[in-house]
Amino acid sequence: MNAPRRLRDTRVTLSHGGGGRAMRDLIDSVFATAFQPQTAEDQARLSHPALSDPGARLALTTDSFVVTPLEFPGGDIGKLAICGTVNDLAVGGARPLWLSAAFIIEEGTEIDLLRRIVATMAQEAARAGVQIVTGDTKVVGRGAADGLFVTTTGVGVIPPGRNLAADLIRPGDVAIVNGVLGDHGATILAARGDLALSTDLVSDCQSLGHLMEAVIAAAPGTRAARDATRGGLASALNEMAAAAALGIEIDEDALPLRDEVRGMCEILGLDPLYLANEGTLVAFVPEAQAPAALAAMRARPEGRGAVAIGRAVAAHPGQVRMRTVFGGSRIVDMLVGEQLPRIC
Amino acid sequence: MNAPRRLRDTRVTLSHGGGGRAMRDLIDSVFATAFQPQTAEDQARLSHPALSDPGARLALTTDSFVVTPLEFPGGDIGKLAICGTVNDLAVGGARPLWLSAAFIIEEGTEIDLLRRIVATMAQEAARAGVQIVTGDTKVVGRGAADGLFVTTTGVGVIPPGRNLAADLIRPGDVAIVNGVLGDHGATILAARGDLALSTDLVSDCQSLGHLMEAVIAAAPGTRAARDATRGGLASALNEMAAAAALGIEIDEDALPLRDEVRGMCEILGLDPLYLANEGTLVAFVPEAQAPAALAAMRARPEGRGAVAIGRAVAAHPGQVRMRTVFGGSRIVDMLVGEQLPRIC
């Protein structure tokens, strides 16, 4: 009767990806116990009253995570996968509801590592108020993948009448970030160990769904938001400037940076504006609502360090400029090459 | 103003995954031209009248594809990714609507190969009547992945009142497959070239959404269906027998197999019942509706070879047995190890 059996293996083998009994055992023992899917069918079947609200829209977003190392101070690839996908939904104004998770596992990966990662995912999903409702596992031979890749896809619902988009930003709107910049990128860099850097940094990896709801409630005119992941704040702002066909001005003075991150960037010649974040968003709100948005952020742990960093301007459309601490101004361009790969 | 620029590179480099301008160029030049996303936001925003039908449910399914080789007779990893996800939705009774696609690309991958794969995906999506609405690209260093992995997630809608599930199968229900077995697995095996096998086989890789709708229209009592991918028909039937807590009996005589597949299996000691398929489903329908279901399948190109292969029985619950051509009976168990990895 195919009762669930104990998994005796300590490492993943190719047979765990073959579609047969070994795969069933791995799924039952590692994934199903953590995620508790509702059905034996290979699809989740979902309903939610918010979906049938007239004017409600469905939001769909996907991300693959390829971070190395798989575990790092402040999180692991699983936490990253949940937060990253929840945040992509949230910054677009969607309420995150359901996630799928697909795992590409390299032969030889420790099953205990998988268990830890899956447990983190279940925990972070609960914290963010989303359910992991379906998934997939594939196993590839040794050398064909780098330990573990996770792809999460998120489904959320955008309430009727809510519309956040970068092309709605207007000159004078204030740019607000919820906290310090660059912690995730700097943590991963230090965790790789190549540089013999010793720091107390931890990744900022966190879910921002509840924060975004608080901001929108306090500042209903909120125009748009982005999470500043790969490519950092600079890339997020450049994308928004291009989509809005407006200029963006930021103040170097106002940028929230830890001394440690600043110091690491100076030593290594990195620009913290391009360092990846995994729990940091930038939102544009009408000037009159900026104090309310800031207060709403600061009332939550994810937004305790919220500050206004600049504004949208009619001048230099499509371009981001920074007023430096020395009183000058420089262009903050899109990242051209790659600053640091495998960061998320 | 960040006007789209021509991509000059011929191979993917790490900078194409950095979140900056090179990534933008790759996405604009390769992905966006094929998939034509509706928005610059990092989420698709979707609405469909069927979603707000009272009693309609959302279906969500995800799959990573790691096939090697990436291109094979009858398809490529992109076609596989579209068909696989469409089919997971369809066999559960959902009408496929939207897909996300996430790409993990190994540094050094030819951009022309990516273009071909992405073009196949766009083509197959159009054929299946689904839209690819959002995506992601990550680049990993040489040796950190095996060329290209694609993860597709599908969203569909299950019309009110429709409920396909293996635990609804009843004794006497007829098992029907839509065509020959094992073509995909045998094709991939031959395409690897290690075995110096020369065949005219092509993968059966095809979308089954329209076929499933036709079957359900003709046989509204259809209980459940599965696509017989990894682990083949044997694994699909075993999963259904377990979920239904019923036995399943199939007739070896009735199994549709090409002579070439049969021959290849005999030479290599493989069992065609475990060979992967990518366009083959098995459906259980009440006996009285079996002729209508068969006729509906045969009226479509994807179902031209449809045949009844067996039935559900009250005896030996959870077990699949096959009446052999010699009059005996043998247990068709779940695949225990792995027969052939990296097949889908």
Side-chain angles (χ1 to χ4, degrees):
Chain A
M1 295 283 292
N2 294 349
R5 305 179 315 161
R6 273 188 68 81
L7 189 71
R8 285 169 202 281
D9 313 271
T10 59
R11 290 181 181 273
V12 173
T13 66
L14 282 176
S15 67
H16 290 117
R21 175 152 296 161
M23 186 178 89
R24 234 332 91 218
D25 289 347
L26 179 74
I27 291 174
D28 288 348
S29 157
V30 176
F31 296 97
T33 50
F35 300 152
Q36 309 198 333
Q38 34 137 231
T39 164
E41 303 301 307
D42 199 14
Q43 61 173 221
R45 291 161 182 184
L46 308 160
S47 50
H48 193 283
L51 276 180
S52 47
D53 267 8
R57 288 177 297 167
L58 198 79
L60 184 68
T61 184
T62 194
D63 256 309
S64 290
F65 295 84
V66 298
V67 69
T68 172
L70 295 172
E71 296 178 297
F72 48 81
D76 62 24
I77 190 172
K79 185 175 180 190
L80 210 54
I82 301 298
C83 295
T85 296
V86 163
N87 294 351
D88 275 345
L89 290 171
V91 296
R95 292 186 180 132
L97 294 176
W98 302 300
L99 261 54
S100 66
F103 298 82
I104 297 173
I105 309 167
E106 186 185 14
E107 181 190 19
T109 298
E110 277 181 33
I111 287 177
D112 277 346
L113 172 66
L114 277 187
R115 284 191 208 278
R116 288 198 300 278
I117 289 168
V118 163
T120 316
M121 292 178 78
Q123 197 175 45
E124 187 60 34
R127 192 178 298 146
V130 295
Q131 283 177 280
I132 300 164
V133 292
T134 191
D136 181 53
T137 58
K138 290 288 182 326
V139 179
V140 296
R142 207 178 280 268
D146 214 7
L148 177 68
F149 301 141
V150 182
T151 301
T152 38
T153 304
V155 177
V157 65
I158 304 173
R162 189 184 286 183
N163 194 24
L164 269 62
D167 58 8
L168 301 175
I169 299 171
R170 294 288 166 263
D173 288 350
V174 177
I176 297 175
V177 296
N178 64 310
V180 292
L181 301 171
D183 283 8
H184 179 72
T187 301
I188 296 296
L189 189 59
R192 291 209 181 137
D194 313 328
L195 298 166
L197 290 167
S198 150
T199 79
D200 297 327
L201 285 174
V202 298
S203 167
D204 64 333
C205 182
Q206 58 183 345
S207 296
L208 300 173
H210 303 309
L211 183 81
M212 270 304 292
E213 286 299 318
V215 169
I216 294 169
T222 299
R223 314 283 196 191
R226 283 278 198 291
D227 52 342
T229 57
R230 265 190 299 181
L233 180 68
S235 301
L237 290 176
N238 268 281
E239 278 181 34
M240 296 175 99
L246 288 175
I248 294 175
E249 272 182 14
I250 57 173
D251 295 310
E252 188 170 16
D253 242 359
L255 296 178
L257 282 169
R258 282 184 216 285
D259 288 343
E260 260 178 297
V261 171
R262 205 186 293 271
M264 193 189 289
C265 283
E266 271 171 23
I267 293 169
L268 300 171
L270 298 172
D271 185 338
L273 284 174
Y274 297 95
L275 279 185
N277 308 279
E278 289 294 341
T280 303
L281 60 79
V282 52
F284 279 83
V285 298
E287 190 171 10
Q289 296 182 14
L294 276 167
M297 281 195 190
R298 288 176 183 153
R300 292 195 58 90
E302 316 93 278
R304 202 164 288 141
V307 285
I309 58 160
R311 64 189 58 238
V313 294
H316 52 84
Q319 212 172 64
V320 181
R321 292 196 186 167
M322 182 164 76
R323 274 193 298 237
T324 67
V325 286
F326 309 110
S329 168
R330 71 167 173 93
I331 293 173
V332 177
D333 208 351
M334 283 285 271
L335 186 63
V336 174
E338 118 277 2
Q339 179 165 351
L340 197 61
R342 309 289 301 279
I343 203 77
C344 64
Chain B
M1 294 283 293
N2 293 351
R5 305 178 315 159
R6 272 188 68 82
L7 189 73
R8 285 167 202 282
D9 313 272
T10 58
R11 290 181 181 271
V12 174
T13 66
L14 282 177
S15 67
H16 289 118
R21 176 152 296 160
M23 187 179 87
R24 233 338 85 218
D25 288 347
L26 180 74
I27 291 174
D28 288 347
S29 158
V30 176
F31 297 97
T33 50
F35 299 152
Q36 309 197 334
Q38 33 137 233
T39 163
E41 304 301 308
D42 200 12
Q43 60 173 223
R45 292 161 180 183
L46 308 160
S47 49
H48 194 283
L51 275 181
S52 47
D53 267 7
R57 288 178 297 168
L58 198 78
L60 184 68
T61 184
T62 193
D63 256 308
S64 290
F65 295 85
V66 298
V67 69
T68 172
L70 295 172
E71 296 177 297
F72 47 82
D76 61 24
I77 190 172
K79 185 175 180 190
L80 211 54
I82 302 297
C83 294
T85 296
V86 163
N87 294 351
D88 275 344
L89 290 171
V91 296
R95 292 186 180 131
L97 293 177
W98 303 300
L99 261 54
S100 67
F103 298 82
I104 297 173
I105 310 167
E106 187 185 13
E107 181 190 19
T109 299
E110 276 180 34
I111 288 177
D112 277 347
L113 171 65
L114 277 187
R115 283 191 209 279
R116 289 198 299 278
I117 289 169
V118 164
T120 317
M121 292 178 78
Q123 196 175 46
E124 188 60 33
R127 192 177 298 145
V130 296
Q131 284 178 278
I132 300 164
V133 292
T134 190
D136 181 54
T137 58
K138 289 290 182 325
V139 179
V140 297
R142 207 178 280 268
D146 213 6
L148 178 67
F149 301 142
V150 181
T151 302
T152 38
T153 304
V155 177
V157 64
I158 304 173
R162 189 184 285 183
N163 193 24
L164 269 63
D167 57 9
L168 301 175
I169 299 171
R170 294 287 166 265
D173 288 350
V174 177
I176 298 176
V177 296
N178 64 310
V180 292
L181 300 171
D183 282 9
H184 179 73
T187 301
I188 296 296
L189 188 59
R192 292 210 181 136
D194 314 328
L195 298 166
L197 290 167
S198 152
T199 79
D200 297 327
L201 284 174
V202 298
S203 167
D204 64 333
C205 182
Q206 58 183 345
S207 296
L208 300 172
H210 303 308
L211 183 82
M212 271 304 293
E213 285 299 317
V215 169
I216 294 169
T222 299
R223 314 283 196 191
R226 282 278 198 290
D227 53 341
T229 58
R230 265 190 299 180
L233 179 68
S235 300
L237 291 176
N238 269 281
E239 278 181 35
M240 295 176 101
L246 289 175
I248 294 176
E249 272 181 13
I250 57 174
D251 295 310
E252 188 171 18
D253 241 358
L255 296 178
L257 283 169
R258 282 183 215 286
D259 288 343
E260 262 178 294
V261 172
R262 206 187 292 270
M264 193 189 288
C265 284
E266 271 170 22
I267 292 169
L268 300 171
L270 298 171
D271 185 338
L273 285 174
Y274 297 96
L275 279 185
N277 308 278
E278 289 295 339
T280 302
L281 61 78
V282 53
F284 280 83
V285 298
E287 190 170 11
Q289 295 181 14
L294 276 167
M297 281 196 190
R298 288 176 183 153
R300 294 195 57 90
E302 316 92 278
R304 201 164 290 139
V307 285
I309 58 160
R311 63 189 59 239
V313 296
H316 52 83
Q319 213 173 65
V320 181
R321 293 196 186 166
M322 181 165 77
R323 275 193 298 237
T324 67
V325 287
F326 308 110
S329 168
R330 72 167 173 95
I331 293 174
V332 177
D333 208 350
M334 283 285 271
L335 187 62
V336 174
E338 117 277 3
Q339 179 164 353
L340 196 61
R342 309 289 300 281
I343 203 79
C344 63

